[in-house]
Amino acid sequence: MNILRCPFCGSPIAREENSLYCEVHRHCFDIAKSGYVTLTRASGTAGDDRDMVRARTAFLDKGYYRPFAEAVAHAIGDAKVVIDAGCGEGYYSEAAAERGALVYGFDLSKYACDKAAKRAKAAGHSSFFGVSSIFELPVADKSADCVISLFAPIAEAEFARVLKDDGLLIVGAAGTRHLYELKRAIYQNAYENEGRRDLPAGFEEVCRRKVSYTFDCRGEDLKPLFMMTPYAFKTSREDAAKLDELTHLEITADFDIFVYKKR
């Protein structure tokens, strides 16, 4: 099944040797060596840089968030075509593919898509990864059984466009106690997280689930964890250096999973 559409003219996309092209106007998109494709009208690099992707990959590959990934995959159920909107390096895409889903992952970061494509190839999955805004997904209307949006903006109108009439939207968010101990180790006054304020109003909520547990994070993994959080952009160098003094830290992982159905 090929649900891809040209980001310029919206016509179906086909493959020819090492490139994709649209069948009407012959807009051409090169396939990178790793397998990802840039399918956006925008120019230049956006999204997470190479260091951010490496940090997130280093942490996630240790399995600290595996219970959350498995819970998301369980929520997907028997969906055949899944869009991972804001897929990052493909860690959660892989969990969906392990259940037999055909995954199309999209992210603004070419570095993330490159890593995601390599991950899928190593696992033997036929997932597709493309550089694209989640607000302009290069896929056909009503082509996906499920969209997952994990720690990414919710493009509600676009998700409604690409989902089939009975399609599911799965939203993952940080719970109130998520990484509380990490914040306490850095900041003088730690605080709990607020709930998501951008949950989709135009979808019918089916259910919600909390995934909460603690994990013992080794000292060398604390910096990669910190780098993949929003705190990395607003913390002083002095406060961030406090993590270097820790050999390990018991941390709470607290996730909220919301499952919606397209109205």
Coordinates of all heavy atoms in Angstrom, one line a residue, residues 55-105:
A55 N 21.4 12.0 21.5 CA 21.1 11.9 22.9 C 19.9 11.1 23.2 O 19.8 10.2 24.1 CB 21.0 13.3 23.5
R56 N 18.8 11.4 22.4 CA 17.5 10.7 22.6 C 17.7 9.2 22.3 O 17.2 8.4 23.0 CB 16.5 11.4 21.8 CG 15.1 10.9 22.1 CD 14.0 11.8 21.5 NE 14.2 11.9 20.1 CZ 14.3 13.1 19.5 NH1 14.2 14.2 20.2 NH2 14.4 13.2 18.2
T57 N 18.4 8.9 21.2 CA 18.6 7.5 20.8 C 19.4 6.8 21.9 O 19.1 5.6 22.2 CB 19.4 7.5 19.5 OG1 18.6 8.1 18.5 CG2 19.6 6.0 19.1
A58 N 20.4 7.4 22.4 CA 21.3 6.8 23.4 C 20.5 6.4 24.7 O 20.6 5.3 25.3 CB 22.4 7.7 23.8
F59 N 19.5 7.3 25.0 CA 18.7 7.0 26.2 C 17.6 6.0 25.9 O 17.5 5.0 26.7 CB 18.0 8.3 26.7 CG 17.1 8.1 27.9 CD1 17.6 8.0 29.2 CD2 15.7 8.0 27.7 CE1 16.7 7.8 30.2 CE2 14.9 7.7 28.7 CZ 15.4 7.7 30.0
L60 N 16.9 6.2 24.9 CA 15.8 5.3 24.6 C 16.2 3.8 24.3 O 15.6 2.9 24.7 CB 15.0 5.8 23.4 CG 14.2 7.1 23.6 CD1 13.6 7.6 22.3 CD2 13.1 6.9 24.6
D61 N 17.4 3.7 23.7 CA 17.9 2.3 23.4 C 18.3 1.6 24.6 O 18.5 0.3 24.5 CB 19.1 2.4 22.4 CG 18.6 2.7 21.0 OD1 17.4 2.7 20.7 OD2 19.5 2.9 20.1
K62 N 18.3 2.2 25.7 CA 18.6 1.5 27.0 C 17.3 0.8 27.6 O 17.4 0.1 28.5 CB 19.2 2.4 28.0 CG 20.5 3.0 27.7 CD 21.6 2.0 27.6 CE 23.0 2.6 27.3 NZ 23.5 3.5 28.3
G63 N 16.2 1.2 27.0 CA 14.9 0.5 27.4 C 14.2 1.2 28.5 O 13.2 0.6 29.0
Y64 N 14.6 2.3 29.0 CA 14.0 3.0 30.1 C 12.5 3.3 29.8 O 11.7 3.3 30.8 CB 14.7 4.3 30.4 CG 16.1 4.1 31.0 CD1 17.2 4.6 30.3 CD2 16.3 3.5 32.2 CE1 18.5 4.5 30.8 CE2 17.6 3.3 32.7 CZ 18.7 3.9 32.0 OH 20.0 3.7 32.5
Y65 N 12.2 3.6 28.6 CA 10.8 4.0 28.2 C 10.1 2.8 27.5 O 9.0 3.0 27.0 CB 10.8 5.2 27.4 CG 11.0 6.5 28.1 CD1 11.3 6.5 29.5 CD2 10.9 7.7 27.4 CE1 11.5 7.7 30.1 CE2 11.1 8.9 28.1 CZ 11.4 8.9 29.4 OH 11.6 10.1 30.1
R66 N 10.6 1.6 27.6 CA 10.0 0.5 26.9 C 8.5 0.2 27.4 O 7.7 0.0 26.6 CB 10.8 -0.8 27.1 CG 10.3 -1.9 26.3 CD 10.4 -1.7 24.8 NE 9.8 -2.7 24.0 CZ 9.7 -2.7 22.7 NH1 10.2 -1.7 22.0 NH2 9.1 -3.7 22.1
P67 N 8.2 0.3 28.7 CA 6.8 0.1 29.1 C 5.8 1.1 28.4 O 4.7 0.7 28.1 CB 6.9 0.3 30.6 CG 8.3 0.0 31.0 CD 9.1 0.5 29.9
F68 N 6.3 2.3 28.3 CA 5.4 3.3 27.6 C 5.3 2.9 26.1 O 4.1 3.0 25.6 CB 6.0 4.7 27.7 CG 5.3 5.8 26.9 CD1 4.0 6.1 27.2 CD2 6.0 6.4 25.9 CE1 3.3 7.0 26.5 CE2 5.3 7.4 25.2 CZ 4.0 7.7 25.5
A69 N 6.4 2.5 25.5 CA 6.3 2.2 24.0 C 5.3 1.0 23.9 O 4.6 0.9 22.9 CB 7.7 1.8 23.5
E70 N 5.4 0.0 24.8 CA 4.5 -1.2 24.7 C 3.1 -0.8 24.9 O 2.2 -1.3 24.2 CB 5.0 -2.2 25.7 CG 6.3 -2.8 25.3 CD 6.8 -3.8 26.4 OE1 6.2 -3.8 27.5 OE2 7.8 -4.5 26.1
A71 N 2.8 0.2 25.8 CA 1.5 0.6 26.0 C 0.9 1.3 24.8 O -0.3 1.2 24.5 CB 1.4 1.5 27.3
V72 N 1.7 2.1 24.2 CA 1.3 2.8 22.9 C 1.0 1.8 21.9 O -0.1 1.9 21.2 CB 2.3 3.8 22.5 CG1 2.0 4.4 21.1 CG2 2.4 5.0 23.4
A73 N 1.8 0.8 21.7 CA 1.6 -0.2 20.7 C 0.4 -1.0 21.0 O -0.4 -1.4 20.0 CB 2.8 -1.2 20.6
H74 N 0.1 -1.3 22.2 CA -1.1 -2.0 22.6 C -2.4 -1.2 22.3 O -3.4 -1.7 21.8 CB -1.1 -2.3 24.1 CG -2.4 -3.0 24.6 ND1 -2.6 -4.3 24.4 CD2 -3.5 -2.5 25.3 CE1 -3.8 -4.6 24.9 NE2 -4.3 -3.6 25.4
A75 N -2.3 0.2 22.4 CA -3.4 1.0 22.1 C -3.7 1.1 20.6 O -4.8 1.2 20.2 CB -3.2 2.4 22.6
I76 N -2.6 0.9 19.8 CA -2.8 0.9 18.4 C -3.6 -0.3 17.9 O -4.4 -0.3 17.0 CB -1.4 0.8 17.7 CG1 -0.7 2.1 17.9 CG2 -1.5 0.5 16.2 CD1 0.8 2.1 17.4
G77 N -3.5 -1.4 18.7 CA -4.3 -2.6 18.4 C -3.9 -3.2 17.1 O -2.8 -3.4 16.7
D78 N -5.0 -3.5 16.2 CA -4.7 -4.2 15.0 C -4.7 -3.2 13.8 O -5.0 -3.6 12.6 CB -5.7 -5.3 14.7 CG -7.2 -4.8 14.7 OD1 -7.4 -3.5 15.0 OD2 -8.1 -5.6 14.5
A79 N -4.5 -2.0 14.0 CA -4.4 -1.0 13.0 C -3.3 -1.4 11.9 O -2.2 -1.8 12.3 CB -4.1 0.4 13.5
K80 N -3.7 -1.3 10.7 CA -2.8 -1.8 9.6 C -1.9 -0.7 9.1 O -0.7 -0.9 8.8 CB -3.6 -2.3 8.4 CG -4.5 -3.5 8.8 CD -3.7 -4.7 9.4 CE -4.6 -5.8 9.8 NZ -3.9 -6.9 10.4
V81 N -2.4 0.5 9.0 CA -1.6 1.7 8.5 C -1.5 2.7 9.6 O -2.6 3.3 10.0 CB -2.2 2.3 7.2 CG1 -1.3 3.5 6.7 CG2 -2.2 1.2 6.1
V82 N -0.3 3.0 10.1 CA -0.1 3.9 11.2 C 0.8 5.1 10.8 O 1.8 4.8 10.2 CB 0.5 3.2 12.4 CG1 0.8 4.2 13.5 CG2 -0.5 2.1 12.9
I83 N 0.4 6.3 11.1 CA 1.2 7.4 10.8 C 1.8 7.9 12.2 O 1.0 8.2 13.1 CB 0.4 8.6 10.2 CG1 0.0 8.2 8.8 CG2 1.2 9.9 10.2 CD1 -0.8 9.3 8.1
D84 N 3.1 8.0 12.3 CA 3.7 8.5 13.5 C 4.1 10.0 13.2 O 5.0 10.3 12.5 CB 5.0 7.7 13.8 CG 5.6 8.0 15.1 OD1 5.1 9.0 15.8 OD2 6.5 7.3 15.6
A85 N 3.3 10.9 13.7 CA 3.4 12.3 13.4 C 4.3 12.9 14.4 O 4.0 13.2 15.6 CB 2.0 13.0 13.5
G86 N 5.6 13.3 14.0 CA 6.6 13.7 14.9 C 7.3 12.5 15.4 O 7.5 12.3 16.6
C87 N 7.8 11.7 14.5 CA 8.3 10.3 14.8 C 9.7 10.3 15.5 O 10.1 9.3 16.1 CB 8.4 9.5 13.6 SG 9.6 10.1 12.3
G88 N 10.4 11.5 15.4 CA 11.8 11.5 16.0 C 12.6 10.4 15.4 O 12.6 10.2 14.2
E89 N 13.4 9.7 16.2 CA 14.3 8.7 15.7 C 13.7 7.3 15.5 O 14.4 6.4 15.2 CB 15.5 8.6 16.7 CG 15.2 7.9 18.0 CD 14.2 8.7 18.8 OE1 14.3 9.9 18.9 OE2 13.2 8.0 19.2
G90 N 12.4 7.2 15.6 CA 11.7 6.0 15.2 C 11.5 5.0 16.3 O 11.1 3.8 16.0
Y91 N 11.8 5.3 17.6 CA 11.7 4.3 18.6 C 10.3 3.8 18.8 O 10.1 2.6 18.9 CB 12.2 4.9 19.9 CG 12.2 4.0 21.1 CD1 13.2 3.0 21.3 CD2 11.2 4.1 22.1 CE1 13.1 2.1 22.3 CE2 11.2 3.3 23.2 CZ 12.2 2.3 23.3 OH 12.1 1.4 24.4
Y92 N 9.3 4.7 18.8 CA 7.9 4.3 19.0 C 7.4 3.7 17.7 O 6.5 2.9 17.7 CB 7.1 5.4 19.5 CG 7.6 5.9 20.9 CD1 8.3 7.2 20.9 CD2 7.5 5.2 22.0 CE1 8.9 7.6 22.1 CE2 8.0 5.6 23.2 CZ 8.7 6.9 23.3 OH 9.2 7.3 24.5
S93 N 7.9 4.2 16.6 CA 7.5 3.6 15.3 C 7.8 2.2 15.2 O 7.1 1.3 14.7 CB 8.2 4.4 14.1 OG 7.9 5.8 14.2
E94 N 9.0 1.8 15.8 CA 9.4 0.4 15.8 C 8.5 -0.4 16.6 O 8.2 -1.6 16.2 CB 10.9 0.3 16.3 CG 11.4 -1.1 16.2 CD 12.9 -1.2 16.7 OE1 13.4 -0.2 17.2 OE2 13.5 -2.3 16.5
A95 N 8.0 0.1 17.7 CA 7.1 -0.7 18.6 C 5.8 -1.0 17.8 O 5.2 -2.0 18.0 CB 6.9 0.1 19.9
A96 N 5.4 0.0 17.0 CA 4.1 -0.2 16.3 C 4.4 -1.2 15.1 O 3.5 -2.1 14.9 CB 3.7 1.1 15.7
A97 N 5.6 -1.1 14.5 CA 5.9 -2.1 13.4 C 6.0 -3.5 13.9 O 5.7 -4.4 13.2 CB 7.2 -1.6 12.7
E98 N 6.4 -3.6 15.2 CA 6.6 -5.0 15.8 C 5.2 -5.7 15.9 O 5.2 -6.9 16.0 CB 7.3 -4.9 17.1 CG 8.7 -4.6 17.0 CD 9.4 -4.3 18.4 OE1 8.6 -4.2 19.4 OE2 10.6 -4.1 18.5
R99 N 4.2 -4.9 15.9 CA 2.8 -5.5 16.0 C 2.3 -5.8 14.6 O 1.1 -6.2 14.4 CB 1.9 -4.6 16.7 CG 2.2 -4.4 18.2 CD 1.1 -3.6 18.9 NE -0.2 -4.2 18.8 CZ -0.7 -5.0 19.7 NH1 0.0 -5.2 20.8 NH2 -1.9 -5.5 19.6
G100 N 3.1 -5.5 13.5 CA 2.6 -5.8 12.2 C 2.1 -4.6 11.4 O 1.6 -4.8 10.3
A101 N 2.1 -3.4 12.0 CA 1.6 -2.3 11.3 C 2.6 -1.8 10.3 O 3.8 -1.9 10.4 CB 1.3 -1.1 12.3
L102 N 2.0 -1.2 9.2 CA 2.8 -0.5 8.2 C 2.9 0.9 8.7 O 1.9 1.6 8.7 CB 2.2 -0.6 6.8 CG 2.9 0.2 5.7 CD1 4.4 -0.3 5.5 CD2 2.1 0.0 4.4
V103 N 4.1 1.4 9.0 CA 4.3 2.7 9.7 C 4.9 3.7 8.7 O 5.8 3.4 8.0 CB 5.2 2.6 10.9 CG1 5.4 4.0 11.5 CG2 4.6 1.6 11.9
Y104 N 4.2 4.9 8.7 CA 4.8 6.0 8.0 C 5.1 7.1 9.0 O 4.2 7.6 9.7 CB 3.7 6.6 7.0 CG 3.4 5.7 5.8 CD1 2.5 4.7 5.9 CD2 4.0 6.0 4.5 CE1 2.3 3.9 4.8 CE2 3.7 5.2 3.4 CZ 2.9 4.2 3.6 OH 2.6 3.4 2.5
G105 N 6.4 7.4 9.2 CA 6.8 8.3 10.2 C 7.3 9.6 9.5 O 8.0 9.6 8.5

